[in-house]
Amino acid sequence: RKEVEQDPGPFNVPEGATVAFNCTYSNSASQSFFWYRQDCRKEPKLLMSVYSSGNEDGRFTAQLNRASQYISLLIRDSKLSDSATYLCAVDNTDKLIFGTGTRLQVFP
Amino acid sequence: SAVISQKPSRDICQRGTSLTIQCQVDSQVTMMFWYRQQPGQSLTLIATANQGSEATYESGFVIDKFPISRPNLTFSTLTVSNMSPEDSSIYLCSVEEWGRTSTDTQYFGPGTRLTVL
């Protein structure tokens, strides 16, 4: 089993839709979780950290499920500009392990 | 977050040559990391570079192939030695900061796109 796994997609959704991605991790001792956004030919940019209690930032909501060992990202009211690859990252003994990313394409 | 720059932004190199990539941060940071991202793949950690100590390499990466320098708290270099086409990739440096969310968070430089012919 990979340390961090994501559905590669692509997820093709219309503008205004709600879309959710999951990311599973294998190390139950992991303490820090993140979602990054990566545009084509650009570096990953931190979207949000994921807290145990869940957190929200505008249209974006992140959740952590420790029992099932996954994190999720929910995007509401999708915009064309949300089209990107979304990478999850999980800490594993002082380093981050990245998933392969989920590609989102929002169409008009 | 810290502002991170990398040089060169891209390069095309001949097989057998070496390229040194520079990473500059506008503030002092303890932890710096070097990643590789091959086409269509996710990020793979090459090594962790802390100032004043030898870099720590991940499985599959060795110092002879990817020597790293970390002379101070704002600068690091990664050299890709004796390159082959399989080294064609994007190389990214990142730094760890204590974020506003009270967790250590990594921020990335813009990357160096390397093509080896």
Side-chain angles (χ1 to χ4, degrees):
Chain A
R1 182 182 174 185
K2 286 186 181 177
E3 290 183 86
V4 179
E5 288 196 81
Q6 292 182 254
D7 181 342
F11 285 59
N12 297 304
V13 303
E15 273 187 291
T18 295
V19 62
F21 315 131
N22 284 344
C23 167
T24 59
Y25 61 95
S26 61
N27 185 357
S28 59
S30 295
Q31 294 295 321
S32 301
F33 309 87
F34 306 91
W35 283 103
Y36 284 80
R37 170 193 169 128
Q38 187 172 29
D39 293 289
C40 189
R41 295 179 172 266
K42 298 287 189 183
E43 75 274 21
K45 293 196 170 146
L46 181 69
L47 183 63
M48 56 201 308
S49 303
V50 187
Y51 308 137
S52 297
S53 55
N55 47 306
E56 188 174 310
D57 184 1
R59 298 182 293 109
F60 299 84
T61 301
Q63 298 276 357
L64 167 63
N65 185 316
R66 283 196 185 275
S68 300
Q69 292 184 208
Y70 73 87
I71 61 173
S72 63
L73 177 68
L74 180 80
I75 306 175
R76 288 180 298 278
D77 189 23
S78 299
K79 312 289 184 194
L80 294 176
S81 57
D82 293 333
S83 298
T85 297
Y86 292 83
L87 302 165
C88 66
V90 178
D91 82 298
N92 185 351
T93 56
D94 295 331
K95 61 186 180 186
L96 282 184
I97 307 297
F98 284 84
T100 52
T102 297
R103 194 155 67 87
L104 172 66
Q105 185 66 51
V106 181
F107 58 87
Chain B
S1 60
V3 176
I4 307 165
S5 60
Q6 283 186 237
K7 286 197 293 188
S9 58
R10 59 177 62 225
D11 208 341
I12 300 173
C13 300
Q14 295 295 324
R15 182 195 300 259
T17 62
S18 297
L19 175 72
T20 295
I21 302 167
Q22 300 178 7
C23 179
Q24 180 77 52
V25 190
D26 70 343
S27 58
Q28 294 184 336
V29 294
T30 304
M31 305 281 283
M32 292 182 79
F33 305 86
W34 286 99
Y35 288 84
R36 181 171 74 183
Q37 187 174 29
Q38 295 181 306
Q41 305 292 316
S42 188
L43 297 150
T44 302
L45 181 64
I46 297 171
T48 302
N50 292 335
Q51 193 267 337
S53 62
E54 294 280 335
T56 303
Y57 288 83
E58 297 300 307
S59 175
F61 298 97
V62 295
I63 188 171
D64 290 345
K65 175 68 175 177
F66 297 102
I68 287 171
S69 78
R70 183 79 202 273
N72 57 52
L73 291 172
T74 64
F75 187 78
S76 179
T77 67
L78 169 76
T79 299
V80 186
S81 304
N82 188 25
M83 288 183 283
S84 66
E86 292 71 35
D87 294 320
S88 297
S89 186
I90 299 172
Y91 291 85
L92 296 134
C93 70
S94 75
V95 304
E96 190 171 75
E97 290 191 333
W98 185 255
R100 65 184 188 276
T101 57
S102 300
T103 57
D104 287 333
T105 305
Q106 285 191 31
Y107 298 91
F108 287 85
T112 296
R113 185 176 295 273
L114 170 63
T115 301
V116 184
L117 303 177

